[in-house]
Amino acid sequence: MQTRVTDLLGIEYPIIQGGMAWVATTPLVVAVSEAGGLGIIGAGGMSASQLQTEIRQVRSATDKPFGVNLMLLSPCIEEQIRVVKEEKVPVVTTGAGNPGSLVEDLSSLGIMVIPVVASVALAKRLLRYGVKMFIAEGMEAGGHIGEVTTMCLIPQMVDAVSVPVIAAGGVADGRGMAACFVLGAEGVQLGTRFVCTEECDVHPAYKEALLKAQDRSTVVTGTSTGHPVRCLQNKLSRQFTQLERRGVSREELEALGSGKLQAAVCGDVSEGSVMAGQISGLIRDIKPVKAVIEEIMKDFQTTVSRLTKMVSEKWD
Ligand code: TUI
């Protein structure tokens, strides 16, 4: 399938894997890139030397394009930037902040920078740095989120920028992908769906928790700290919400949240932060990455054909 996204990234399908911190490591990234999508290493939580090791492991396992997600709030962001420059990774996505002049800096080395944005305003500001593509993420997504839904954000983004837009947040199958394309997106980024794959290296309890989830299983905590995070409701999220209601200090809340994603990824799904999108309730199985991507592309085509047929029967 050909879109501006597949052309610019040199990939077969316009399907990007979200660069999830602690979750998106070599096995998942390699599987997605090998299957024709774009695998992305989640650098959040990694030291510079760990990141370098991951990049080299991915490179030794695939010659397909891949990327690194830089979480801009990361304490070692400067050293991580140095590593992606030294290693000349093909693609960098950024999240949780404004990448600003980093776009020019990395682009001058031939690195394609794709900012993840949650608002049109930030996208417009970033255009002056020469951004060639955006990922627009709706608040249905898991982890750190903005305030606008995917359904409302994508058409507004597409009207505001002339570069291609990749939709993220709330997509886990071919119908969701088709919906985003109808709104003008030229690619989709999936996070939660790729957690429930054989290659994803999180503890089985994390995957099981996602399989059990329903439409209302996620909650947003941390709004009062300025860093809203969507995760599955559990003991930790209830404790967090209670403390937020009581108005405890930002420092106390941040201390409670610290290290909790890593705890969940290691299997503590009760007292860890099980970051997950609202689409969790749609995910019913764990399968190989290749099967996920093939099914999405098949269902995307079926959906588009169904709509085309509906339109031609009715108005021809
Ligand atoms: O970054 C994500 N998702 C994440 S990061 C993460 S690690 C973390 N853990 C606890 C607290 C905070 C982070 C887990 N999940 N998605 C991309 C994303 N970026 N969503 C929202 C944004 C965003 C928000 C504000 C991007 C830019 C932004 O800019 C503010 C500004 O300066 O205008």
Side-chain angles (χ1 to χ4, degrees):
M1 181 175 173
Q2 221 184 346
T3 69
R4 285 189 292 174
V5 169
T6 54
D7 284 352
L8 285 165
L9 298 176
I11 55 178
E12 197 178 344
Y13 305 117
I15 299 178
I16 317 310
Q17 164 249 312
M20 300 163 281
W22 299 105
V23 174
T25 55
T26 300
L28 179 60
V29 175
V30 169
V32 172
S33 288
E34 278 290 299
L38 188 76
I40 302 201
I41 298 168
M46 285 183 195
S47 68
S49 71
Q50 281 170 321
L51 178 58
Q52 186 185 55
T53 306
E54 290 287 329
I55 293 169
R56 292 184 178 179
Q57 279 175 353
V58 169
R59 274 230 162 89
S60 68
T62 183
D63 51 15
K64 299 267 168 62
F66 68 96
V68 169
N69 175 259
L70 295 176
M71 211 278 278
L72 299 172
L73 294 171
S74 168
C76 47
I77 186 70
E78 291 305 325
E79 300 91 271
Q80 290 176 345
I81 292 170
R82 180 179 48 76
V83 170
V84 299
K85 283 174 161 179
E86 279 169 9
E87 297 292 321
K88 291 197 168 46
V89 301
V91 177
V92 164
T93 63
T94 66
N98 181 345
S101 56
L102 181 63
V103 178
E104 287 169 331
D105 188 19
L106 298 185
S107 307
S108 67
L109 300 170
I111 299 174
M112 159 83 88
V113 184
I114 315 177
V116 180
V117 296
S119 71
V120 171
L122 179 57
K124 279 187 170 167
R125 261 184 275 147
L126 287 170
L127 280 175
R128 71 174 76 117
Y129 296 99
V131 170
K132 298 278 183 306
M133 196 185 295
F134 288 101
I135 298 171
E137 187 182 270
M139 54 88 82
E140 298 93 321
H144 179 52
I145 52 169
E147 289 169 2
V148 187
T149 61
T150 304
M151 177 78 123
C152 297
L153 184 60
I154 301 306
Q156 294 184 70
M157 275 286 294
V158 167
D159 283 356
V161 303
S162 56
V163 299
V165 174
I166 296 166
V171 185
D173 69 4
R175 293 170 301 177
M177 177 175 168
C180 292
F181 274 58
V182 169
L183 298 174
E186 290 172 67
V188 284
Q189 175 177 276
L190 284 65
T192 311
R193 173 65 268 195
F194 283 124
V195 177
C196 288
T197 56
E198 286 176 7
E199 293 88 343
C200 180
D201 207 9
V202 301
H203 192 282
Y206 201 119
K207 299 181 188 180
E208 289 300 323
L210 292 183
L211 293 183
K212 278 195 213 131
Q214 295 173 335
D215 53 349
R216 297 188 305 153
S217 297
T218 69
V219 288
V220 180
T221 58
T223 306
S224 67
T225 69
H227 295 139
V229 166
R230 183 181 299 285
C231 54
L232 290 187
Q233 191 159 28
N234 64 2
K235 196 169 163 188
L236 174 70
S237 73
R238 281 187 285 272
Q239 200 182 352
F240 210 102
T241 306
Q242 248 177 17
L243 291 178
E244 269 191 293
R245 281 205 192 115
R246 265 195 245 147
V248 308
S249 71
R250 190 183 156 146
E251 290 73 29
E252 254 181 279
L253 288 170
E254 274 167 8
L256 176 66
S258 159
K260 292 300 195 301
L261 172 59
Q262 188 188 13
V265 165
C266 294
D268 188 352
V269 294
S270 159
E271 295 183 39
S273 178
V274 189
M275 294 187 186
Q278 279 190 319
I279 205 68
S280 300
L282 193 70
I283 301 167
R284 294 182 200 92
D285 52 10
I286 296 165
K287 52 189 172 199
V289 163
K290 192 166 188 294
V292 168
I293 291 183
E294 281 171 358
E295 189 174 42
I296 291 173
M297 290 312 300
K298 185 169 137 270
D299 290 347
F300 172 76
Q301 280 175 331
T302 311
T303 306
V304 173
S305 305
R306 177 166 59 80
L307 295 181
T308 310
K309 192 159 169 275
M310 209 187 280
V311 172
S312 62
E313 278 170 4
K314 190 126 186 191
W315 286 295
D316 266 5

